[in-house]
Amino acid sequence: MDLRFTPALLFLLTASASAGAEVCVRSVAEALAVSPEETSGPLPFELTGTTLSDTYRIIPFCDETGGIVLENSQTNDVSWKAGDLMRVRGDMIVNPEERRFAFVRHAEILERRPPPAPAEVPGSEILDGRRDFQFVTVRGVVQGTLTDDLDPHFTWIALRTPNGVVMGAAHDSSFIGYDWRRLIDAEVSLTGLCRPASGWRHGFQSHVILNSPRGVRILRPQPDDPFAPYDRQTMPALHRRRLSGRVLASTATRCYLRTSGGRFVEAEAADGIALPPAGSSLSVAGFAEPDGTRLRLTEAVFRLETHRAIPEALPQKVAFGQLFERKSASRGINTDLHGTLVTLGGRVSASVPDATSGRSFGLTGDNRLIVIDCSGLDVALPPDAAVVDVTGVLLAEFEPARPSIAFPVFRTFKLGPRSPADIRIVARPPWWTP
């Protein structure tokens, strides 16, 4: 039977285990080695090691053989501090997905000790799990912060390092009134406990738990002017990148522009920053995230440049067949059209749900379908089966990158109109009555 254990069910199962049962697990290494096939019920454990957090529901715990996350269900009222040497007893169970649930029934402090001193490490040693269950310090530039969608009491901090983005997690009970926005584009160090992801996110990379504001040290404040020249003495590759260009089109959450050098760029605005209208000449500053097909800027801010006029690109009329052909091959996609302004004619299909607002529709032609994203416009969508011409920026959409695939896999095209005037009804559907 494929049993899907919930935490509540596991608690009841392990709580029913006999207090006098023989201890089966005596080290963290043994606990991590247990497989679902080796047990049909709760396994009693007794571990001696160091607790890596103060008294809390979740207990990061390590001994000389490794580290593990325990759940505090003790029957005796014992309070501890990070670093204390402890003996804990309880029961654990391993579900069919090999997730371990270890409930502490009894805790005993053997010796009061200070927490281990943190080691300053590169981001790579956190991301690959090498520093799990160790106190660490990591340096970088804060790219953004967000509230956890599973637990709104946690704030996540995205720290750009030369080796990748390291995530830090902070509970709001320890950061009351903390102004996270002042960290954006600042050089900081994060100090805390490195631990693997758990629960629904157990397959994700390790992160750093921040216990107090003392774990966040600002080494260099965010710049007063995000458009000022780089200070080459710091970490320019990690900070916001500055570009100038002309806005081709905007959706509900991002805008697309062509730089003065001809490069196509996608910019996602920072919280509270209004997206510029199509046709604007501007400077943009944002964190660069190349994805192989375009340059994406996140946490972007904008500055209109009235003195720097960039010529408006003229749309080219294309047919559906031109989107899915290449001069050098018999099949494929026309990559030359990605990021350009085009006018495309076709027939409206049923509405296509949009991830942001639902304001989109399908356009069909030559047995193909692309999505028309109107989420940035205040416009009535054309009726189903109408024949329309749509002008906008053409975007190639790709499947998320995976380590096993060397390049992004093309999914479909999307077209982003610049204004309501870019959607022109050529013929009403046959059932339409004025």
Side-chain angles (χ1 to χ4, degrees):
M1 182 174 62
D2 185 15
L3 209 55
R4 302 290 174 179
F5 297 110
T6 65
L9 176 59
L10 291 170
F11 180 87
L12 293 174
L13 287 172
T14 58
S16 64
S18 171
E22 181 181 355
V23 173
C24 298
V25 176
R26 294 189 177 275
S27 72
V28 170
E30 291 179 11
L32 298 178
V34 175
S35 67
E37 294 77 17
E38 294 178 281
T39 176
S40 58
L43 287 177
F45 67 81
E46 180 178 300
L47 304 176
T48 300
T50 301
T51 177
L52 300 174
S53 71
D54 294 351
T55 306
Y56 187 58
R57 180 176 57 85
I58 301 299
I59 314 170
F61 187 90
C62 71
D63 63 13
E64 59 185 12
T65 69
I68 193 171
V69 176
L70 310 175
E71 297 200 31
N72 183 12
S73 302
Q74 61 171 327
T75 55
N76 58 322
D77 188 15
V78 174
S79 296
W80 58 82
K81 295 289 185 181
D84 287 349
L85 179 66
M86 299 182 61
R87 180 183 294 118
V88 294
R89 293 195 297 271
D91 307 288
M92 69 173 291
I93 198 165
V94 183
N95 74 1
E97 289 80 26
E98 296 195 8
R99 290 176 57 190
R100 286 158 175 76
F101 298 86
F103 295 92
V104 173
R105 306 297 179 201
H106 180 87
E108 177 185 357
I109 298 173
L110 303 180
E111 183 181 349
R112 295 287 188 183
R113 293 178 177 177
E120 185 163 331
V121 301
S124 58
E125 294 188 9
I126 294 173
L127 297 174
D128 65 15
R130 200 181 323 173
R131 294 288 181 167
D132 283 353
F133 300 101
Q134 298 180 32
F135 287 98
V136 298
T137 295
V138 59
R139 296 177 180 234
V141 174
V142 175
Q143 174 174 336
T145 64
L146 67 148
T147 301
D148 195 317
D149 58 347
L150 298 181
D151 186 346
H153 294 293
F154 275 95
T155 297
W156 289 88
I157 305 95
L159 186 74
R160 292 167 66 94
T161 79
N163 315 103
V165 177
V166 172
M167 301 300 294
H171 196 274
D172 59 10
S173 63
S174 301
F175 288 81
I176 297 174
Y178 196 88
D179 181 12
W180 294 108
R181 298 299 303 174
R182 71 190 180 104
L183 299 182
I184 306 299
D185 210 14
E187 295 177 20
V188 307
S189 66
L190 301 182
T191 299
L193 175 67
C194 179
R195 56 163 288 188
S198 59
W200 288 3
R201 298 181 176 129
H202 67 281
F204 287 79
Q205 292 174 314
S206 299
H207 55 273
V208 178
I209 299 293
L210 307 170
N211 289 327
S212 76
R214 293 191 302 274
V216 182
R217 182 184 172 201
I218 298 178
L219 307 174
R220 190 180 186 91
Q222 62 185 189
D224 295 328
D225 179 5
F227 299 98
Y230 290 122
D231 180 348
R232 296 295 179 180
Q233 301 301 315
T234 59
M235 298 181 273
L238 302 180
H239 285 276
R240 280 186 169 118
R241 182 171 178 177
R242 288 80 168 166
L243 297 171
S244 296
R246 185 182 181 91
V247 178
L248 301 176
S250 294
T251 64
T253 59
R254 61 200 63 194
C255 68
Y256 304 93
L257 59 145
R258 181 74 63 184
T259 69
S260 51
R263 188 169 190 179
F264 177 61
V265 177
E266 174 185 322
E268 183 177 334
D271 288 344
I273 301 297
L275 288 169
S280 304
S281 293
L282 50 73
S283 292
V284 56
F287 295 102
E289 293 185 352
D291 65 1
T293 61
R294 74 194 77 169
L295 176 64
R296 179 183 295 113
L297 300 179
T298 63
E299 288 288 330
V301 293
F302 308 95
R303 182 177 68 188
L304 295 179
E305 301 286 5
T306 56
H307 65 285
R308 183 186 297 174
I310 298 175
E312 181 178 7
L314 297 178
Q316 56 179 314
K317 178 76 173 179
V318 299
F320 264 86
Q322 293 175 260
L323 302 182
F324 300 94
E325 66 180 18
R326 291 181 297 178
K327 296 178 181 179
S328 60
S330 60
R331 58 181 298 182
I333 64 170
N334 190 339
T335 55
D336 292 338
L337 294 176
H338 170 62
T340 64
L341 280 172
V342 303
T343 298
L344 187 66
R347 188 176 294 277
V348 176
S349 74
S351 296
V352 179
D354 180 80
T356 304
S357 65
R359 296 191 55 77
S360 60
F361 63 91
L363 189 68
T364 61
D366 291 343
N367 295 317
R368 302 276 192 172
L369 180 144
I370 71 168
V371 176
I372 310 299
D373 186 348
C374 302
S375 61
L377 303 178
D378 183 12
V379 61
L381 300 183
D384 288 350
V387 177
V388 298
D389 281 344
V390 183
T391 298
V393 60
L394 186 69
L395 308 169
E397 297 289 308
F398 295 85
E399 297 290 348
R402 302 197 302 272
S404 58
I405 297 178
F407 50 85
V409 177
F410 173 77
R411 186 175 61 181
T412 186
F413 279 113
K414 179 183 287 188
L415 192 65
R418 301 164 297 177
S419 71
D422 279 338
I423 304 173
R424 186 174 69 89
I425 296 179
V426 176
R428 298 283 181 181
W431 51 263
W432 180 270
T433 54

